[in-house]
Amino acid sequence: MVSILVLHGPNLNLLGSREQAIYGATSLKAIDAAIEALARELKVRVEIRQSNLEGELVTWIQEARDRFDAIVINPAGYTHTSVAIRDAIAAVQLPTIEVHLSNIYKREAFRHRSYIAPVALGQISGLGSASYLLGLRAAVNHLQAAGGTT
């Protein structure tokens, strides 16, 4: 069975109460439930984790190499600052989909640069919690096209 690691970066644990005009009112728990429901529908296994710590995210990405077939990641603020997360994704060579709730290109100029995008298979942003679901579908579609099974 295809296994996909879904990672949420810093401050995403505050979804539902944090800057609702930007991130919406949906909680992280509700997003995780939607991801799990879609995974069941697609007949894939997902493991979902959230951390505010850059090093913890790096460790999880490194450990994914032998346990998962792909990664869906919302690096949140680390998108624009973390060479370490970028290097970990490049090192494990797993298909990685970068997702964002908000459209990072319609926000402050410093958010327009993603260190993750150059090493990701693709990026989905600006579609709220649907970005995660589209990211999961994209990862599964990529694996199927590459010869993986679900």
Side-chain angles (χ1 to χ4, degrees), residues 1-4 38-45 69 136-137 139-145 147-150:
M1 175 179 276
V2 167
S3 295
I4 299 174
L38 179 58
R40 284 189 299 275
E41 177 186 322
L42 298 174
K43 296 179 176 48
V44 299
R45 184 180 79 80
D69 301 298
L136 180 60
R137 285 186 185 277
V140 170
N141 288 346
H142 173 78
L143 293 169
Q144 288 173 336
T149 58
T150 57

Side-chain angles (χ1 to χ4, degrees), residues 6-22:
V6 178
L7 296 176
H8 305 292
N11 298 310
L12 294 172
N13 55 307
L14 300 177
L15 288 176
S17 63
R18 172 186 177 222
E19 299 175 273
Q20 290 185 2
I22 296 172

Side-chain angles (χ1 to χ4, degrees), residues 35-88:
I35 293 167
E36 289 169 345
L38 179 58
R40 284 189 299 275
E41 177 186 322
L42 298 174
K43 296 179 176 48
V44 299
R45 184 180 79 80
V46 293
E47 188 170 314
I48 305 170
R49 301 177 185 174
Q50 187 277 329
S51 181
N52 294 318
L53 305 175
E54 181 180 29
E56 191 165 43
L57 291 163
V58 168
T59 297
W60 291 341
I61 292 165
Q62 290 175 355
E63 291 172 348
R65 180 191 314 219
D66 298 321
R67 297 187 52 220
F68 296 95
D69 301 298
I71 298 170
V72 174
I73 184 171
N74 182 344
Y78 290 135
T79 302
H80 324 289
T81 64
S82 183
V83 173
I85 291 174
R86 178 248 178 251
D87 287 351

Side-chain angles (χ1 to χ4, degrees), residues 112-124:
H112 298 178
R113 168 138 190 194
S114 168
Y115 282 93
I116 310 308
V119 295
L121 182 63
Q123 181 192 78
I124 300 167

